[in-house]
Amino acid sequence: MSNKVGKNEAKRLKAQALKEFQSETTEEERERILRRGMGVDLGGALQKGEEKVFEKKLTKEEKKAAMAAKRAELAERRAARKAEKEDERASGERSSGQREEEEGEEE
């Protein structure tokens, strides 16, 4: 069975969602929701995951490529953090070493 929904069926579902929304809420509630922009599209119907229903499904290869890109980005961030910590340690050791030398000169 196909996951695709035809244009007419999509319109029918959208009209049905709008009808349900209007029957469940009062005019004041609708105005408040519209002013806040809470999940309301231009047609006035609540968005009930329509984007997910109609979005293109990723193939296995595309999913693997996306995961590889995420992993590479994460590894890059980890390496940058590790290098930053090593720099802090190195600068901390230098500054403590300089302090010891200064204290030794004062005595």
Side-chain angles (χ1 to χ4, degrees):
M1 185 178 256
S2 178
N3 288 339
K4 287 189 175 183
V5 178
K7 277 197 292 183
N8 291 334
E9 189 175 352
K11 287 180 185 179
R12 185 183 55 76
L13 290 173
K14 191 172 185 178
Q16 183 181 0
L18 178 60
K19 187 177 179 181
E20 287 177 23
F21 171 68
Q22 289 175 347
S23 67
E24 293 174 358
T25 59
T26 64
E27 186 65 34
E28 293 169 354
E29 288 174 330
R30 274 182 259 151
E31 287 297 320
R32 188 177 26 205
I33 290 171
L34 288 172
R35 272 187 264 124
R36 286 187 180 172
M38 292 175 43
V40 179
D41 65 3
L42 296 176
L46 285 176
Q47 293 177 355
K48 297 184 178 179
E50 286 181 19
E51 296 86 24
K52 289 184 181 180
V53 172
F54 297 114
E55 75 184 14
K56 180 185 169 206
K57 301 274 184 184
L58 297 176
T59 63
K60 273 188 177 179
E61 292 80 21
E62 290 171 333
K63 287 180 184 178
K64 285 181 182 179
M67 285 303 294
K70 282 184 182 180
R71 286 185 183 130
E73 184 180 331
L74 183 60
E76 193 175 299
R77 275 193 253 146
R78 285 181 184 156
R81 265 192 249 134
K82 187 175 182 181
E84 192 175 292
K85 285 183 181 180
E86 288 176 1
D87 288 344
E88 287 176 8
R89 274 193 220 132
S91 66
E93 290 173 3
R94 279 189 234 127
S95 63
S96 65
Q98 290 173 351
R99 286 186 205 134
E100 290 174 3
E101 290 175 8
E102 291 174 1
E103 289 174 3
E105 292 174 6
E106 291 175 5
E107 293 177 4

